[in-house]
Amino acid sequence: MTQRPTLEEVARRAGVSRATVSRVVNGATTVAGPIQEAVRRAVAELGYVPNLAARSLVTHRTDSVALVLPEAATRVFSDDHFFPAIIRGVSRELEAADKQLVLMLAGSPAGHARVERYTTGRHVDGVLFASLHGADPLPGILADLGLPVVCSGRPLGGTTVPYVDVDHAGGVSRAVAHLVASGRRRIATIAGPQDMVAGIDRLTGYRDGVTAAGCPELIGYGDFTRASGAAAMQELLDRHPDLDAVFAASDLMAHGALRTLRRAGRRVPDDVSVIGFDDVSSAAYTDPPLTTVRQPILEIGRVMTRLLLRLAAGDPVDPFVVLPTTLVLRDSG
């Protein structure tokens, strides 16, 4: 086997000292530009690979970022498009920055404790949180330790850390206004979990919309899954058989609602209009195609990561970013 090039060989090729090569490889900014270029050229020519463990000891950096998902594996690796889109967005930005992604699930007390031990031990340079439930104290704990933290969605419980979110309430209010403009007056909702900011804010948007239109509140609850959407739709039909529209707080719940309505003999949109939220890839292929509120999930992951990297570099940032949502009109509503 060919022997791996050493730091000394890079130094000889670049015509500098071993210490200078070490400083350049470890990201020091005190080395003059032409010398840095000579070292980088020598590294590329020789195919030198830095010792990451040694680099971490010198720089106190791991060049890795944790993405924490407080969900069970069965949920993360399900057909919920939110998780793969977030992971793709984060991965793209980290790859461009030459950083490693550490994916961590915290869907159980044991998993949450493991994540807390790992992150508070500073095995990563920063932490991204997505799909937070309730007033999880971990983002605040890590921020107090000086570790860069960014959340997907506004943290609940008064914790103040940087976050990237979307205009949930505004998007839903526009969806309800569209239903009202089309003549619907008995507009129900299948709300999401009320321990998540997305579920809370989308229900707020629904309430704002029906109140502004003088319509009654007709509310069922689900957990962002197809099965919960189907069950909540049946419950709403049992309680309010005269409903003429439903806003589901996720496209997957809307898929379940469409199935229940079809089984109940209700035509969509002739009898009942249906609108979802997310604009997942399958929304355009339901029967009928689903009107929905588009949130830029991939962009959420990318913006979160860019914000975290800027925080880690000590750059000034806007710590609270809210991305727009868009109403996508199709045949169901």
Side-chain angles (χ1 to χ4, degrees):
M1 295 178 64
T2 304
Q3 186 176 1
R4 294 175 62 180
T6 64
L7 205 66
E8 288 77 8
E9 290 176 282
V10 174
R12 284 197 297 271
R13 175 68 66 95
V16 298
S17 69
R18 184 183 187 280
T20 297
V21 173
S22 179
R23 287 198 295 274
V24 174
V25 168
N26 290 323
T29 59
T30 55
V31 180
I35 296 177
Q36 288 194 38
E37 181 58 33
V39 172
R40 293 194 184 101
R41 187 166 54 249
V43 166
E45 291 172 353
L46 292 172
Y48 173 74
V49 178
N51 183 314
L52 295 181
R55 179 175 178 175
S56 295
L57 289 172
V58 172
T59 63
H60 303 291
R61 297 197 312 269
T62 66
D63 287 333
S64 62
V65 169
L67 172 59
V68 177
L69 303 174
E71 300 280 359
T74 52
R75 178 76 188 281
V76 173
F77 300 107
S78 69
D79 57 355
D80 191 329
H81 294 239
F82 176 84
F83 300 106
I86 283 288
I87 293 169
R88 285 201 309 274
V90 171
S91 297
R92 287 183 185 181
E93 292 299 320
L94 291 180
E95 182 178 352
D98 197 25
K99 307 290 185 183
Q100 300 298 317
L101 170 63
V102 180
L103 180 62
M104 308 192 76
L105 306 186
S108 67
H112 192 280
R114 183 175 63 253
V115 169
E116 183 170 355
R117 289 194 303 271
Y118 189 84
T119 52
T120 56
R122 294 186 175 272
H123 296 292
V124 290
D125 297 330
V127 183
L128 300 166
F129 286 90
S131 194
L132 278 171
H133 290 259
D136 191 326
L138 187 53
I141 291 171
L142 296 176
D144 289 343
L145 291 175
L147 195 64
V149 173
V150 176
C151 294
S152 165
R154 181 184 72 258
L156 299 175
T159 300
T160 304
V161 297
Y163 65 80
V164 177
D165 207 347
V166 301
D167 182 15
H168 299 283
V172 179
S173 292
R174 287 190 294 274
V176 173
H178 167 74
L179 291 170
V180 171
S182 66
R184 308 294 174 165
R185 302 298 298 174
R186 299 281 293 172
I187 303 168
T189 188
I190 302 174
Q194 295 303 289
D195 66 341
M196 302 180 72
V197 67
I200 294 169
D201 286 358
R202 292 175 197 180
L203 180 55
T204 297
Y206 164 80
R207 283 178 161 148
D208 290 345
V210 294
T211 298
C215 298
E217 292 184 2
L218 313 175
I219 303 174
Y221 292 92
D223 62 4
F224 290 150
T225 64
R226 282 187 174 91
S228 72
M233 188 73 255
Q234 186 60 61
E235 179 191 347
L236 284 166
L237 287 174
D238 292 342
R239 288 192 285 121
H240 310 288
D242 59 342
L243 64 82
D244 57 12
V246 60
F247 165 75
S250 78
D251 285 350
L252 292 186
M253 292 198 298
H255 290 178
L258 287 171
R259 182 168 182 256
T260 295
L261 289 167
R262 186 163 52 248
R263 288 187 167 187
R266 303 293 183 93
R267 297 169 300 165
V268 177
D270 296 345
D271 300 325
V272 180
S273 292
V274 178
I275 296 182
F277 197 110
D278 288 330
D279 194 27
V280 301
S281 58
S282 58
Y285 300 99
T286 56
D287 183 20
L290 183 65
T291 292
T292 184
V293 179
R294 176 181 295 155
Q295 67 162 333
I297 304 175
L298 185 72
E299 187 65 11
I300 293 171
R302 301 190 73 164
V303 174
M304 285 173 64
T305 309
R306 291 197 292 265
L307 179 56
L308 185 80
L309 294 176
R310 292 185 65 188
L311 285 169
D315 296 335
V317 299
D318 180 353
F320 311 122
V321 180
V322 179
L323 302 176
T325 52
T326 307
L327 181 62
V328 180
L329 298 177
R330 298 193 180 101
D331 296 344
S332 72

